[in-house]
Amino acid sequence: MYKLTFYAITLSAALGFACSESGGMDETTLPGPQNPSGDFHLTAAIDPITRTELTDASTVIWKAGDKLSAWIDSDASNANVELTLTPESDGQPVGRFSGPLDPSSDAFTLYAVYPYADYGSDPAAVMRTVPAEVERRSDVNEVIGVSDFMLGRASLSRADDEHTIAFSHPLALLNIVIDGSNSIFSDGVIESFTMSAGKTFVGDVVCNLKEGSIAAADPEAGRTLTINYGADAVMSAPQNAWVAIMPADLTDAGCTFVLTLTNGQQITFTVDPKVAFRAQTRYTLTFDDIDGWISRKKAAAKSYDLVADGGGRANCYIVRNGGYFKFAADYPDRNKTYELTGVTGADWLWSTGDQPLVANLGYGSKNIYFTVRPGTEGNAVIAARDDAGNIVWSWHIWMTTEDPLTPTHYTRGNTWLLIDRNLGATSNEQGDAASYGLYYQWGRKDPFPGVNTAGSNAESSEPGQFSGSTQAFVINDAFSGHTFKSVRNSAMGDDDLAFVTANPTTFVHFYQQGATGTNTWAYNLTADELAALWNSTTDKSKKTIYDPCPAGYCVPVNNGYAWQNWTADFVAFEPSLSGVVYSNGADNTSYYPAAGYRKSGQASNVGYTCAYWAANMRAGTITPYAMWCYNRSSLGNSAQPTQYGLPVRCMKQ
């Protein structure tokens, strides 16, 4: 029986490489075949094709079921013959294959392709495909034999007892390394990485085994390669992906690399590798100084659109990851004209903490742009201003690493759905002051800071407005004259809404009765105008442009018993009440902290008053509904003055 021995390639270790601004690249050329260490016979093939594995040193290890396609030059009876690995070669670096190969000449040329397929009778026109979209392979050993192929050619003689053929790898092996651990995107997860060029480097190819060459079947196609990643591809650690590409000179080919994260962030790198990718050679491209590349204009971040990707316009936008963001500088109402007039710039107005939590503010194309560092938790307000520096509109940016929009099902089936924490809260842990969130005067869209303590009977109120119990905050010096303070309602001038819009840090308290009536911050508004600021009905679809909740959510509408008839447990962490746990079944509970309220700007009753706004007024009054519980008293609905600043628990529309 005829004998033949095949050799597999051995890939050498790759050198480290990082794409430089000049586009340089290191490479390693693979050595030729090693000396033979075995032989094999030709017999029938039965087993299905399996993948050939490689060792850590990138030596091919043949596996049971591996098959080859073989041709004898100018011999139609020996065209695309199926050869199968013999059992004794399983797990060996040199394979012995068997098959019905029967050369008719004493001297002949043998061509082979791994893996076996029905390639046809012409060894000069073997069709293969270099995939243009692949799943991430983190090891080069996972690439060879899966997404690409090996070619062999040898001049042989029937007179020899043993024959050898050396395989070569016709493709270039490219390792993409992405390391975002020190970037603004470090808390993201990679979704895909796309490489594009002005020349063909993937797609259908024609292998000419006689010449030992490959060429693109269509030189105008195959110019984009996409690598899809898995859920474990975190930006906080280096991630590498191996792919095979055609040999191609991509110098000055206009290469771009697009990194897309699962949270919607996208970074485009414009770098020229300045290299001719060669067969049987491995290359490494490393993208690790992402922020630096962006600052040096070698990369650009596509801002995550908080409107388009976040469900629509709103006065509050949620940011859970670091990165670049934008939102439309428009009114947050689907039913009215969006455009704000007179906007010429934007900046952050105030932020919780001792440093601003948003940065790189910009305004252009009617959008506001900003960045947030990974892991940021807290709240900020961004304001759009006109040429004179006046605030035209402002938006709340709620930064929390958790998902705050997890509704909890409560009474009346699934019709009453509220999120599991207060608006602006970065926690929903019982007894944590961070669960208190922010405070809102009824009918106004802009928040006021929370508090820094869970409260107690002894210290439940501040001695002055926005003083000792208020959480730390900073105000931007660029907004001259804006600070947290409380003023009389009579100080607003002729237009209440114009005043509070232009002064989002000013708390307005009742001093004189105006057109509206008593115990309200409003002075010029009528009762009907005041009632319409949030919602004068019990229809949760009637969200207004002054509603402070994120898109798809609103201040709860209350039909008189929304917060009643629940089972409630009082939760004490201090000598006073610290919260209430409502439940409507064992799996349907939610914690409402006793955050108290602000009165004339002062935090009051912190720790033993639960008070939460509803969106609508009690019939025939100018006092809106609220859920109210004071010092372990009975729970239920209460009508409270609009001048108070209360927390908000948003309702799903």
Side-chain angles (χ1 to χ4, degrees), residues 581-644:
V581 175
Y582 280 116
S583 64
N584 185 32
D587 298 326
N588 186 14
T589 64
S590 191
Y591 169 60
Y592 282 72
Y597 52 90
R598 287 195 180 275
K599 183 178 181 181
S600 299
Q602 294 173 261
S604 301
N605 284 1
V606 176
Y608 65 99
T609 295
C610 285
Y612 289 83
W613 284 130
N616 48 319
M617 299 283 188
R618 175 174 285 178
T621 73
I622 57 166
T623 52
Y625 284 111
M627 183 272 281
W628 191 269
C629 171
Y630 177 75
N631 200 20
R632 295 182 182 270
S633 299
S634 60
L635 301 168
N637 294 284
S638 174
Q640 298 298 322
T642 66
Q643 67 170 333
Y644 282 10

Side-chain angles (χ1 to χ4, degrees), residues 462-479:
E462 289 183 310
Q465 53 186 264
F466 305 104
S467 56
S469 296
T470 296
Q471 68 183 130
F473 64 85
V474 288
I475 294 182
N476 192 347
D477 292 338
F479 289 93

